[in-house]
Amino acid sequence: MLSHLALTSPALPGPGAMEQGPRLKSSSFSFLSGQPWVPGLPVCRVSSEVRMESCHLSMESRTSMASSPGALPYYVAFSQLLGLMVVAMTGAWLGLYRGGIAWEGTLQFNVHPLCMVIGLVFLQGDALLVYRVFRNEAKRTTKVLHGLLHVFAFIIALVGLVAVFDYHRKKGYADLYSLHSWCGMLVFVLCFVQWLVGFSFFLFPGASFSLRNRYRPQHVFFGATIFLLSVGTALLGLKEELLFTLGSKYSTFEPEGVLANVLGLLLVSFGVVVLYILTRAEWKRPPQAEEQALSMDFKTLTEGDSPSSQ
């Protein structure tokens, strides 16, 4: 009887078998999550926390790798040199050949090109470069600086616009008949709309995170487009002024014409360098830790982030 019971009863697990069971379970979970199983802690919670921590670590590694953008500082310095040369040469052209600037008399018109070059070309280009230069500062600080530079550019351009309309009114000249004036008004209106919409989406606290993400590519595209239109409009105005003042002498390589041509080349060079900096993907501002955490929290809330969703 005892031998029969010994043969038919199931064998009790020995010490080695009892240790093997939890170890196999822990090993199986380690294959899925990369971490040993913690008794009493839900599997989905461990997996979610592990994924978030690993994503944070990878984000920090990408940030540290992007903190050394290579040739970016040299290109930014070169763009600033070109921009300052554009402003200085515009002032030299107006001072040497146009009599200087003043708000009264015939010199009032000269306020227009100087303000437009400073505002819609130089300052607007610098506003676009803010997110490439200030790579590790707080996002909100960078946003405020970006918006303030656009405000200064808009105000200076507004002064230039008032100057030319007031000059035309005093002289009895027609307004808004040339291609330069049409493009100029288009750029001015687009600048105002771009700033207003950007403020509503990115600085005003009412916009949602998903709405900002959807609008951001359009904001970047239209910002670069408006800057390119500003450079082109400045070239049209420069050409128009040379034809009005020099006439047939323009073809005889007058010193003023040569200086203005060099100014035009500098305008093109400044625009090309700024756009080149903006289009380099590896020079984009790396996301900071708090931005990545906010993005992951939003994704978890909206998409139901869980081990089965990956």
Side-chain angles (χ1 to χ4, degrees):
M1 178 70 68
L2 292 176
S3 61
H4 177 71
L5 291 175
L7 290 173
T8 58
S9 61
L12 294 175
M18 299 213 30
E19 293 177 2
Q20 186 177 6
R23 187 164 58 248
L24 288 175
K25 186 174 184 180
S26 175
S27 174
S28 176
F29 182 71
S30 298
F31 175 76
L32 293 175
S33 65
Q35 295 291 332
W37 174 66
V38 180
L41 191 63
V43 172
C44 61
R45 180 181 173 187
V46 174
S47 179
S48 178
E49 290 178 355
V50 167
R51 275 201 319 278
M52 289 189 68
E53 183 177 357
S54 62
C55 186
H56 283 168
L57 291 176
S58 63
M59 194 64 230
E60 291 176 359
S61 62
R62 285 198 301 268
T63 302
S64 62
M65 290 176 61
S67 61
S68 300
L72 174 60
Y74 301 101
Y75 275 92
V76 171
F78 184 51
S79 71
Q80 296 310 289
L81 177 62
L82 289 174
L84 292 175
M85 289 178 64
V86 166
V87 174
M89 191 162 289
T90 302
W93 169 51
L94 297 174
L96 293 175
Y97 298 102
R98 300 289 99 206
I101 60 173
W103 193 257
E104 298 295 335
T106 57
L107 300 180
Q108 184 180 11
F109 175 82
N110 296 340
V111 177
H112 173 71
L114 183 61
C115 287
M116 292 303 180
V117 166
I118 294 176
L120 293 183
V121 177
F122 181 61
L123 287 182
Q124 187 176 194
D126 280 359
L128 298 181
L129 295 179
V130 162
Y131 287 100
R132 301 299 185 270
V133 176
F134 301 98
R135 301 168 56 82
N136 300 315
E137 283 71 18
K139 187 68 174 289
R140 187 165 186 83
T141 303
T142 311
K143 285 181 182 181
V144 171
L145 180 59
H146 177 74
L148 284 177
L149 283 176
H150 276 299
V151 169
F152 294 150
F154 183 81
I155 292 175
I156 294 175
L158 180 62
V159 173
L161 202 62
V162 170
V164 71
F165 274 108
D166 190 51
Y167 174 79
H168 283 181
R169 181 185 59 81
K170 293 176 181 177
K171 294 292 183 179
Y173 296 158
D175 292 318
L176 301 176
Y177 65 90
S178 65
L179 178 61
H180 166 70
S181 61
W182 285 25
C183 291
M185 290 304 301
L186 176 64
V187 168
F188 188 79
V189 172
L190 287 178
C191 282
F192 177 73
V193 173
Q194 172 83 345
W195 186 90
L196 193 62
V197 176
F199 177 83
S200 303
F201 275 84
F202 300 112
L203 286 176
F204 192 73
S208 65
F209 185 83
S210 60
L211 194 60
R212 293 178 181 179
N213 272 349
R214 286 197 295 267
Y215 173 67
R216 185 176 290 110
Q218 284 76 24
H219 183 75
V220 173
F221 170 78
F222 282 110
T225 301
I226 294 171
F227 172 71
L228 187 62
L229 288 174
S230 300
V231 174
T233 303
L235 293 174
L236 285 175
L238 183 62
K239 178 73 172 181
E240 183 179 286
E241 181 63 16
L242 291 176
L243 291 178
F244 282 164
T245 57
L246 295 181
S248 59
K249 293 181 180 180
Y250 186 31
S251 60
T252 62
F253 292 93
E254 284 286 319
E256 181 181 357
V258 174
L259 178 65
N261 288 344
V262 174
L263 173 58
L265 291 177
L266 289 175
L267 281 167
V268 172
S269 300
F270 177 70
V272 168
V273 173
V274 170
L275 288 178
Y276 178 74
I277 295 173
L278 294 177
T279 53
R280 290 289 296 269
E282 64 271 25
W283 290 350
K284 289 183 178 180
R285 184 179 187 272
Q288 303 300 310
E290 64 272 13
E291 301 169 25
Q292 178 65 16
L294 178 61
S295 177
M296 289 194 61
D297 292 341
F298 178 80
K299 181 179 178 182
T300 303
L301 291 173
T302 55
E303 299 181 5
D305 193 16
S306 64
S308 60
S309 66
Q310 296 300 318

